[in-house]
Amino acid sequence: MALLVLLPLALGVPYWTEATLGAERGWTDPEPQPVAAGESVDLAGSEWYVTGYGLSSLGEDPDQAGLAAVDVGFHVVPGDDRASGLLENLCRFRAVDGQGRTWEPTNEFSSRDTGDLTPGDITFGCKNADSEPITPGEDQLLLVTFKVPAGVVEELRYEVRVATRPEPDAPSPAALLFSADELGGED
């Protein structure tokens, strides 16, 4: 009888401890907070919002058939130097469809002309266009491109994950999951 009580404790406590430690260190994905299209939200001392998404042509390459390039306009305004440092420490993006499948950003189209837009750098953390920490109080555009199956574009939501602690080995990330409207699309 004692085995029926002790066995779940013996198995459950180490699992719970490992899961908690993994979440704090960023080894597991945090549960993202949903954000409706057009809303702005504070995350780790920075204000975040998404202006929407646009579709880019993949050209006539037959290898690209059935795929779409989706450009998402994330904006971030760090509230202070600490928030700017957290963005530099850990800042990741991904697209998520209705079935939970995910896509990481692609830099395949990074050499194209963005016109008068000056997007920041998301290669290693979030930085400004000169790859420097984003100035507190400055609204920085982060243009993130995903290559996804064309059939999932309208159902996609866009996740940003950032550090909540400055320690690089234990960033304790938190996440937002944005809904977005197509830029220039029908309302």
Side-chain angles (χ1 to χ4, degrees):
M1 183 62 124
L3 186 59
L4 291 176
V5 173
L6 293 177
L7 185 60
L9 283 174
L11 296 175
V13 170
Y15 172 78
W16 177 79
T17 304
E18 189 69 27
T20 302
L21 181 62
E24 285 180 4
R25 292 197 173 157
W27 297 335
T28 59
D29 292 335
E31 187 65 35
Q33 173 189 345
V35 181
E39 286 188 18
S40 66
V41 175
D42 183 82
L43 180 63
S46 295
E47 179 185 356
W48 285 90
Y49 64 98
V50 170
T51 54
Y53 72 89
L55 297 173
S56 293
S57 172
L58 294 178
E60 300 297 321
D61 184 353
D63 292 336
Q64 306 287 344
L67 298 174
V70 180
D71 298 313
V72 183
F74 287 89
H75 286 259
V76 63
V77 182
D80 55 23
D81 286 332
R82 181 180 188 279
S84 182
L86 292 173
L87 293 171
E88 190 176 13
N89 182 17
L90 173 71
C91 185
R92 295 194 184 130
F93 300 89
R94 65 184 183 175
V96 183
D97 75 359
Q99 298 176 26
R101 295 179 298 177
T102 62
W103 291 268
E104 300 296 320
T106 180
N107 62 3
E108 185 176 341
F109 312 104
S110 61
S111 62
R112 67 185 162 181
D113 181 19
T114 57
D116 59 349
L117 298 176
T118 308
D121 182 12
I122 63 164
T123 308
F124 300 103
C126 290
K127 300 176 184 175
N128 68 18
D130 298 322
S131 296
E132 298 292 328
I134 300 170
T135 304
E138 180 179 303
D139 185 334
Q140 178 63 62
L141 167 65
L142 302 168
L143 189 60
V144 184
T145 304
F146 301 96
K147 187 163 69 169
V148 300
V152 303
V153 170
E154 291 184 11
E155 67 185 77
L156 290 176
R157 292 178 297 160
Y158 306 98
E159 180 181 304
V160 60
R161 185 178 341 147
V162 299
T164 61
R165 295 188 349 203
E167 298 83 10
D169 60 336
S172 190
L176 298 172
L177 188 62
F178 287 93
S179 294
D181 294 325
E182 183 175 3
L183 295 171
E186 302 281 326
D187 288 329

